Amino acid sequence: MRSESEPGGQQRSFIEEARRRQIIASAVEVISEVGYANASLARIAEHAGISKGVISYHFQGKDDLMTQLVIQLYVSAAEVVAPEVIAAVGARNRVLAYIESNLAFIDANRRYVAALTEVVRNLRDADGQLHFASSDESEILEPLVALLREGQLEGEFGEFDPVFMGKSIRDAIDGAGARVVRETDFDLRGYTAHTARLFDLATRKAEE
Amino acid sequence: MRSESEPGGQQRSFIEEARRRQIIASAVEVISEVGYANASLARIAEHAGISKGVISYHFQGKDDLMTQLVIQLYVSAAEVVAPEVIAAVGARNRVLAYIESNLAFIDANRRYVAALTEVVRNLRDADGQLHFASSDESEILEPLVALLREGQLEGEFGEFDPVFMGKSIRDAIDGAGARVVRETDFDLRGYTAHTARLFDLATRKAEE
Amino acid sequence: MRSESEPGGQQRSFIEEARRRQIIASAVEVISEVGYANASLARIAEHAGISKGVISYHFQGKDDLMTQLVIQLYVSAAEVVAPEVIAAVGARNRVLAYIESNLAFIDANRRYVAALTEVVRNLRDADGQLHFASSDESEILEPLVALLREGQLEGEFGEFDPVFMGKSIRDAIDGAGARVVRETDFDLRGYTAHTARLFDLATRKAEE
Amino acid sequence: MRSESEPGGQQRSFIEEARRRQIIASAVEVISEVGYANASLARIAEHAGISKGVISYHFQGKDDLMTQLVIQLYVSAAEVVAPEVIAAVGARNRVLAYIESNLAFIDANRRYVAALTEVVRNLRDADGQLHFASSDESEILEPLVALLREGQLEGEFGEFDPVFMGKSIRDAIDGAGARVVRETDFDLRGYTAHTARLFDLATRKAEE
DNA sequence: GATGAATGAGAGTTCATTCAT
DNA sequence: CATGAATGAACTCTCATTCAT
């Protein structure tokens, strides 16, 4: 019945918010275990120890639940990353803070990231199109690209296409997110240092 | 009834091979349009203009079809990449050839790559584990890591962890593969040059 | 979701128990009409005026439904036979009571017996083995054999192999159960008297 | 294409007859292993090392194959039993010969009997009726009942309903046939002696 | 005579969703 | 608020049968 923007303008009660979080948490665990395709509402409800109907009550449907899951995690990630980036001084340090805080977030939320990835890659609208399409990535990409452009204007960075570079950074981060799931013994700390160096070199000025 | 290597040692007839390729091609198109989860045998058959039973006749089941699809594409990719790498002189050129030929293959087989990615990320065994797990990536990763190590021994490359670097390269390639699907107007040529430069810089010796 | 003994220890609700009985009753009628092989869940559901999914909801699967059907009838039969046997005085009368009450039960539950027989003879496990194998017959046979042995020890019966005799009695009963289905005009009352006499003679002492 | 009575009056060629027997033999083995319901033409063909089409060529369809299987075995059984019965002197000896030769045939053809039983119990016409119904049993029962009646007229047997007695004997024989399949260690020799004694006693004159 | 290929119906099962209580 | 019950569609897979070669 209820949905994201709560059209009536009414706030969600505390108890309702708790239920929603509980259901999303259960969905995260189920998805990270059996994958998106096998994560049925029945399984999610069973895992949460509630009845199937509860999910239907708190979310408009399966797609809504999945969408909320993604949004919740994106917001959480932004809450971790943004302050780190802002706190850093200079474009180079900001970009490095962006990379490092993103990977730190992944490290601290492995299951969530696994579930998020599954949903983003699989959730589709009725017409078959991916629900989280490239247009959504822009929102994530843009601030990073802006950061890179800034560094170039300020003369801290060398010559490169800031959009391409932004995509490379995102692919490195998302790739690490996938590895964390696939490779149980993946050394994310070491990989973070490696990745920071990679893009540190890539953004330097040519000569000097 | 039939399976991958035809254990009886019998060869597959020409007509059967053609049918299998037709079915796999149909699966590729359907998957790249509606995604793995919505790519039912019924849809694949309908798209191919054949009856559902034909698929069951030529493949042991849906999982077999998907597995064959992946294998076929991996083999095709290797057939394109390997000669290019071998033809290149010196470790640096080899690595660059690896990156460039991989991305060129992706460019020339967008839909296939899209389908492959979907299958690899979603196909699971009866126990819920991903069928193409990280162990399978090793096979792909190892030759690349060997190339990087070689370059270090020969003094052409600087100091870096060759496994991390290999994973970075793979993530850049796989990330591009995903972009090609998501972003219809993705400039893969430009991205190739950018990526080549990225790893060219990353593998250089420190000073000089 | 649910199963025979409800392992969680939870009781089944009244309404659920009623549905289960309704479904089993429908299965009995369908099986006794078209046979086990043609008794699909679709037909059973249609006969009961419900949707196919309901069966899956109340039973783990077709095999579970069939198993429950058999168990329910075995229990019902035991509830009829046991008191009659216990009430009889002397081994001979007990054996005759066993035969007569078994056949009376068959007479009163012709369709159920028909269905039961079909299921027991056809239901197989995944490995192809009959689900109700000879080991299960032992449970049914043993009390009867014990009765026969008792009569021999007490001197009421003559010399014979009690296991063979038990099997003969069971075959006579089961044979009658099959006849009741095949021969619509089978005179079970008359056959009961005949069978009682048959085994009365067979268990007598040699001389007199 | 061809069928039982070969309407054109043409004889079947030797090679064709051999193929039919080979197919029936394969059907017998498959049925006795996996049961009637799981005995698909594909499995029967595979077991025989031939293609599915061959079966369709030599039999009108699956039902025809099954019918031929039953007929072939009934004929074989009659060929064993009839001479033994005829050779015996006196009604009592004839009935005992009937029982003993039937059980001996079962002993010597366990798998065939298993398959036969499966088919007779499961094969149904399009209208759902058993193909080998009670009317067919009459053909088998009648000669036996005639034997029993004869013995009564000649004064060798006592008072009993010869039809009931015939059915009891058939049930004992068919029951043994089923046991031979279910109980791998069933002592059919011992059971034969037991059964012969059972009906020897049952047919005796009252006093004396 | 025999084969491989194809069909189309029907099987059991799972699932998201709806609804009365 | 929450539940259990029910629906109906879609899924994969198996099968007997047909047919061109």
Side-chain angles (χ1 to χ4, degrees), chain B residues 72-114:
Chain B
Q72 181 177 306
L73 196 63
Y74 270 148
V75 170
S76 301
E79 282 171 358
V80 167
V81 172
E84 297 284 338
V85 171
I86 290 168
V89 177
R92 179 167 311 277
N93 287 333
R94 285 222 182 105
V95 169
L96 295 179
Y98 180 90
I99 292 170
E100 284 159 7
S101 59
N102 261 287
L103 292 175
F105 180 84
I106 288 171
D107 200 19
N109 302 277
R110 296 191 170 212
R111 311 198 86 171
Y112 263 84
V113 170

Side-chain angles (χ1 to χ4, degrees), chain D residues 13 15 51-54 58:
Chain D
S13 74
I15 197 168
S51 100
K52 256 192 309 178
V54 184
H58 288 283

